[in-house]
Amino acid sequence: MGPTELQRLPELPGRRVCTCGGQLRRSHLEYLGNGRTLPIFTCGACGLAYRGRSEERPAPVGSRRHRPMPDGGHPDNPVIDAALADRLHELMGDG
């Protein structure tokens, strides 16, 4: 849905009941950009769509958590045996 179609949707009624009398349920979120979303509600009886109030998602705090490496460096890779590791080092120019 584009911004024009979203603006054409009627606003969500306070009682959350459609004009046909059917119950409204949350359908999905439209992402508006800049951390803003717009919930879309649809009628279970006739399928008419309504727009809810625009919501802002809180900005993430800090960066992802980085766990320290275990003592002794990188863990062993049980999939690569010693011969294959040596061959890879040769191919990559590390050995």
Side-chain angles (χ1 to χ4, degrees):
M1 248 183 212
T4 306
E5 290 89 6
L6 289 173
Q7 291 303 321
R8 288 184 189 154
L9 291 176
E11 289 187 16
L12 183 66
R15 297 181 332 190
R16 294 195 183 194
V17 176
C18 184
T19 54
C20 75
Q23 289 288 72
L24 298 177
R25 60 180 172 79
R26 190 175 186 135
S27 172
H28 65 281
L29 284 176
E30 287 285 337
Y31 294 94
L32 304 175
N34 295 329
R36 292 184 19 216
T37 58
L38 182 72
I40 304 297
F41 293 81
T42 56
C43 176
C46 70
L48 185 63
Y50 292 87
R51 60 184 160 91
R53 290 186 179 168
S54 178
E55 302 170 355
E56 286 195 31
R57 293 179 297 180
V61 177
S63 63
R64 294 177 60 176
R65 187 176 104 173
H66 294 284
R67 294 188 178 115
M69 290 299 296
D71 292 338
H74 293 280
D76 292 334
N77 185 344
V79 178
I80 298 178
D81 62 3
L84 181 57
D86 291 339
R87 181 75 179 131
L88 287 172
H89 282 294
E90 288 174 15
L91 290 173
M92 301 297 288
D94 293 339

